[in-house]
Amino acid sequence: MIRRFSSRPFLFTKLTNFGKATFAGAIAFGVVPWAIALNLWVSPSLAGDPFRSSEPRKIGDQTEAAFKAIFQQGNYPEAERYLQKALSNEPNEPLAYAMKASLAYGKKDMAKLDTYSQKTLETGQKLISSDPLRGNLYTAVGHFLEGAVILTRDGTVNGAPKALGRLRQVYEYLDKAEAISTNDPELNLLKGYMDLMLAVNLPFASPDQAIERLERNAAPQYLVDRGIALAYRDLKQYSQALEYVNRAIKTTSDNPEIYYLKAQILKEQGRQEKSQQLIQEAIANFDKALTKRSQLPANLVKQIESERGGAVSRLNNLGG
């Protein structure tokens, strides 16, 4: 487990992207972070828990549907509709507030980010008495989101000391959750993503342990594959990144964001190898992602279009 803390402000800035990717817009900051057409077998007894195949928690059907809409389908408007129902029908579920905070972060809506970050922390703390594992886990997430609020509001330089204090609390509560159930898939998904984010940004940290954590104990599998693909992309190990992004495509083929990720990997591999074919494949995947632009946030669509334009320019420079 990575327990090192850096005084460099860029570290927590990088970590805020995880919140969007992992819990949409990642588990909640890219990634990210916390985000269905997955061929996942779900029996009625497991409804409401997208993480566990045994001993499921009563997370709530609307919260689960929102989670899947973001991370399986990449359908943000649908996720928003489910989350509105979740807040009314499942008001004690911290995952719903974490996803709302992540969506607000993606839209740069600071008022809602602040509101839903606080609600994540409050509901996480309340949950500790009845479900210590998930209560401690989402108390950690709440502190993480609060750190993102501090950085966004105060700036990286002025906000870094407070934000890093929050980061220490994140790991304090994650350790408490891990002491209850080391192998819990929800815990290991979140912790694995966070450790990967640290590993790809700190020169003395290895991602191997985080990747092993994800592969061995995390779920759902499509987010495991996606997270590892993201890590290998950032580590510039493009062949491995393609292997994992293709695994994710097999189970989330309706999600435009997974084609965007594949396009990024192919573009960088094509740049590295000066390959026209790889860059052409990247452009095709950018285009595939853009076929579902209506279900993606507007700022993400602009980003995909911009990166596609960069790929076209590079292809032209290579004589394609």
Side-chain angles (χ1 to χ4, degrees):
M1 177 168 57
I2 298 172
R3 295 295 305 277
R4 305 177 181 91
F5 297 102
S6 170
S7 62
R8 289 176 289 181
F10 86 90
L11 171 58
F12 208 97
T13 303
K14 291 283 187 180
L15 285 173
T16 59
N17 292 328
F18 164 75
K20 181 176 178 265
T22 299
F23 283 116
I27 246 168
F29 293 73
V31 64
V32 189
W34 249 72
I36 175 166
L38 172 67
N39 296 321
L40 179 67
W41 177 78
V42 180
S43 70
S45 64
L46 302 183
D49 190 336
F51 306 102
R52 298 168 185 85
S53 58
S54 62
E55 299 183 8
R57 299 305 206 272
K58 295 179 180 179
I59 290 174
D61 291 343
Q62 300 301 321
T63 299
E64 182 195 29
F67 182 91
K68 292 178 176 181
I70 294 169
F71 294 113
Q72 275 194 322
Q73 297 170 353
N75 192 328
Y76 287 78
E78 187 173 90
E80 288 277 17
R81 290 191 290 271
Y82 282 123
L83 283 172
Q84 286 305 115
K85 294 177 182 179
L87 297 189
S88 298
N89 301 333
E90 299 152 9
N92 298 318
E93 176 47 57
L95 174 56
Y97 297 109
M99 287 190 287
K100 285 289 287 185
S102 297
L103 292 173
Y105 178 81
K107 294 177 181 178
K108 302 187 186 303
D109 187 333
M110 288 307 303
K112 288 185 178 179
L113 174 61
D114 193 8
T115 296
Y116 291 117
S117 296
Q118 290 180 32
K119 289 294 292 184
T120 303
L121 182 58
E122 290 170 7
T123 52
Q125 290 171 331
K126 289 178 181 178
L127 190 60
I128 290 175
S129 60
S130 59
D131 188 342
L133 170 63
R134 296 191 73 244
N136 280 295
L137 177 58
Y138 283 94
T139 299
V141 172
H143 283 298
F144 190 87
L145 289 162
E146 294 268 90
V149 171
I150 292 167
L151 280 178
T152 309
R153 183 188 62 223
D154 299 343
T156 303
V157 175
N158 293 330
K162 289 182 180 179
L164 288 170
R166 290 283 185 170
L167 186 59
R168 294 184 181 92
Q169 290 181 294
V170 169
Y171 276 92
E172 175 186 341
Y173 283 98
L174 285 177
D175 285 350
K176 290 180 180 179
E178 193 164 26
I180 295 167
S181 180
T182 302
N183 298 328
D184 181 72
E186 187 177 12
L187 167 67
N188 280 282
L189 183 71
L190 174 59
K191 186 66 166 56
Y193 264 82
M194 293 189 71
D195 285 353
L196 281 176
M197 189 66 70
L198 287 169
V200 299
N201 287 291
L202 296 177
F204 53 79
S206 169
D208 294 344
Q209 187 175 358
I211 290 172
E212 182 182 0
R213 174 190 289 275
L214 285 171
E215 290 189 314
R216 180 175 296 178
N217 294 317
Q221 188 62 44
Y222 63 93
L223 281 181
V224 170
D225 294 333
R226 183 172 171 179
I228 295 173
L230 284 163
Y232 280 130
R233 179 203 65 184
D234 292 344
L235 291 166
K236 306 185 188 308
Q237 297 179 28
Y238 301 120
S239 295
Q240 294 96 319
L242 279 175
E243 176 187 347
Y244 280 92
V245 79
N246 284 331
R247 291 185 189 183
I249 285 173
K250 287 181 180 179
T251 52
T252 55
S253 59
D254 289 341
N255 188 339
E257 289 189 287
I258 202 66
Y259 296 103
Y260 171 39
L261 175 57
K262 184 172 181 177
Q264 290 180 316
I265 295 165
L266 287 165
K267 177 185 174 183
E268 290 306 308
Q269 188 177 30
R271 179 193 59 77
Q272 185 182 72
E273 299 179 11
K274 296 182 171 59
S275 168
Q276 294 181 22
Q277 180 180 348
L278 288 172
I279 294 177
Q280 287 171 340
E281 290 180 30
I283 293 169
N285 278 275
F286 282 127
D287 288 340
K288 194 160 188 176
L290 289 169
T291 62
K292 294 189 176 183
R293 66 179 69 222
S294 63
Q295 66 186 50
L296 295 171
N299 60 344
L300 179 56
V301 172
K302 289 180 181 179
Q303 181 64 29
I304 296 172
E305 291 174 335
S306 175
E307 292 182 37
R308 183 194 184 279
V312 170
S313 296
R314 183 163 293 278
L315 181 63
N316 291 336
N317 290 337
L318 289 174

